[in-house]
Amino acid sequence: MTYKAEYIWIDGTEPTAKLRSKTKVLADGAEPGLWGFDGSSTNQATGHSSDLVLKPVFVCPDPIRGGDHVLVMCEVLHTDMTPHATNTRAALAEVDERFAAQEPWFGIEQEYTFFKEGRPLGFPLGGFPAPQGGYYCGVGADEVFGRDIVELHLDRCLAAGLKISGINAEVMPGQWEFQVGPGGPLEVGDHMWVARWLLYRTAEEFDVAATLDPKPVKGDWNGAGAHTNFSTKAMREGYEPIITACEALADNAVEHVKHYGHGIEDRLTGHHETAPWDKFSYGVSDRGASVRIPWQVEVDKCGYIEDRRPNANVDPYLVTRLITDTCCSALEKAGQI
């Protein structure tokens, strides 16, 4: 007897990496082990030295094939077992271990847009729909497009055991969001990448493409982000650590924005519920700030913060590493752990 293991990894496409996957047939009882691939076909190696290694780091049930079949999220290594330059998870693992005692938690809000025949799902041929307004959390065939794909994707994420915590229609036709978390940095990153793979794979069955383009339609339409919620044990117990974390993000604003996804200047314009990409701010209940402190957090004097700057196409391993390193270092220095 055998089962199928779908090996998933992140390639070297620039400026935004893509997901790749292939299937290995394994004997029942055998664990998914190291495997190889042609890095010269994924923008990760040259033809004269193209072998790279897939190292399984997260395995979950395959909700598409069902049965005993599995999805296998992998890190990319060189043949000497060192991390490849595109392997952003390895650097996150080091930071995660260093600050584990602070118990950092994340929740990422993944926005995305469905496209069919070169235009967003729900956009009429050769024109534009009614202005945004009624589409957000809307209901009805005149305002919501792609719900059948979204519901199937949600069911599959749940069947895979991913930490998906919700879905909603967004402000533009064909634009949706799902949330992953709360969980630790590595856990949220692994679950988000697999959830993205399931999104692409599910939309494929409907002949629809799902894109993480941060500004899929120019003009007076919201972009697509990956708002990232963050807390530590100290932040969940007091308010001063929350301010410390916000100030630390202010001090490192330029470095963060640089790694928050290609095309960030197109999305963070200061309009459409964003702060300008080159100006950092934080505030209570302010969706026009770089970082929002939810109103309930100020009332309770404890909780979490929301970094609203990351693009939809951000690497979750990168954003969780940067926020963990920046905020936890500052909290450690301030003795707020």
Side-chain angles (χ1 to χ4, degrees):
M1 299 294 292
T2 60
Y3 72 98
K4 302 169 190 170
E6 189 72 14
Y7 279 59
I8 302 168
W9 73 97
I10 304 160
D11 77 359
T13 300
E14 294 181 345
T16 301
K18 296 181 179 181
L19 283 168
R20 307 280 183 138
S21 71
K22 61 177 183 170
T23 306
K24 188 170 190 177
V25 178
L26 295 168
D28 279 356
E31 294 293 324
L34 297 178
W35 202 16
F37 71 98
D38 172 15
S40 68
S41 296
T42 62
N43 304 302
Q44 290 169 293
T46 57
H48 69 273
S49 182
S50 63
D51 288 336
L52 292 175
V53 177
L54 295 174
K55 174 190 174 184
V57 292
F58 172 64
V59 180
C60 66
D62 184 340
I64 298 176
R65 288 173 168 150
D68 294 328
H69 308 302
V70 296
L71 302 178
V72 185
M73 188 67 206
C74 300
E75 287 188 9
V76 176
L77 307 177
H78 292 287
T79 53
D80 63 1
M81 299 299 121
T82 58
H84 189 270
T86 59
N87 180 352
T88 54
R89 189 184 188 278
L92 169 61
E94 294 177 4
V95 171
D96 181 51
E97 182 178 4
R98 191 182 346 142
F99 295 110
Q102 293 195 42
E103 299 178 23
W105 287 359
F106 284 90
I108 300 179
E109 306 168 26
Q110 178 67 71
E111 294 178 341
Y112 60 93
T113 310
F114 288 133
F115 268 71
K116 189 175 180 67
E117 297 175 348
R119 62 185 185 278
L121 199 62
F123 271 53
L125 183 63
F128 290 88
Q132 60 189 40
Y135 307 110
Y136 173 71
C137 295
V139 63
D142 58 336
E143 293 187 336
V144 175
F145 307 91
R147 192 186 294 276
D148 47 355
I149 311 173
V150 171
E151 290 289 346
L152 181 55
H153 173 248
L154 173 60
D155 288 344
R156 286 176 168 176
C157 286
L158 291 170
L162 304 183
K163 279 197 166 181
I164 190 165
S165 48
I167 57 172
N168 61 268
E170 271 299 333
V171 298
M172 189 178 78
Q175 192 177 67
W176 292 81
E177 173 184 302
F178 67 86
Q179 302 92 35
V180 169
L186 284 171
E187 180 181 43
V188 164
D190 291 341
H191 286 217
M192 179 58 77
W193 276 116
V194 173
R196 285 177 173 180
W197 185 89
L198 282 169
L199 175 66
Y200 301 143
R201 181 64 180 77
T202 300
E204 179 185 314
E205 295 174 15
F206 294 80
D207 197 26
V208 168
T211 175
L212 305 185
D213 190 321
K215 193 69 175 179
V217 178
K218 307 302 181 187
D220 194 20
W221 298 95
N222 275 35
H227 300 156
T228 302
N229 302 284
F230 171 75
S231 70
T232 64
K233 185 175 184 292
M235 294 167 68
R236 296 189 290 273
E237 295 176 350
Y239 197 70
E240 286 188 11
I242 287 172
I243 300 304
T244 298
C246 288
E247 291 291 342
L249 290 171
D251 291 340
N252 292 274
V254 174
E255 180 66 16
H256 280 237
V257 166
K258 191 190 310 180
H259 298 288
Y260 273 8
H262 177 70
I264 203 159
E265 299 92 342
D266 294 331
R267 176 176 151 265
L268 298 185
T269 61
H271 303 288
H272 305 110
E273 298 183 299
T274 69
W277 68 271
D278 57 349
K279 295 180 181 178
F280 183 89
S281 60
Y282 68 90
V284 175
S285 195
D286 187 356
R287 283 179 165 78
S290 307
V291 171
R292 178 178 69 96
I293 301 173
W295 70 271
Q296 191 65 49
V297 170
E298 186 185 46
V299 171
D300 295 341
K301 298 303 178 186
C302 63
Y304 68 98
I305 58 176
E306 177 194 44
D307 193 335
R308 297 180 57 80
R309 296 170 296 168
N311 272 352
N313 59 358
V314 74
D315 178 348
Y317 294 143
L318 263 179
V319 70
T320 55
R321 176 176 65 80
L322 287 167
I323 293 176
T324 299
D325 199 1
T326 292
C327 294
C328 288
S329 293
L331 291 166
E332 186 178 71
K333 185 176 180 180
Q336 297 170 335
I337 57 175

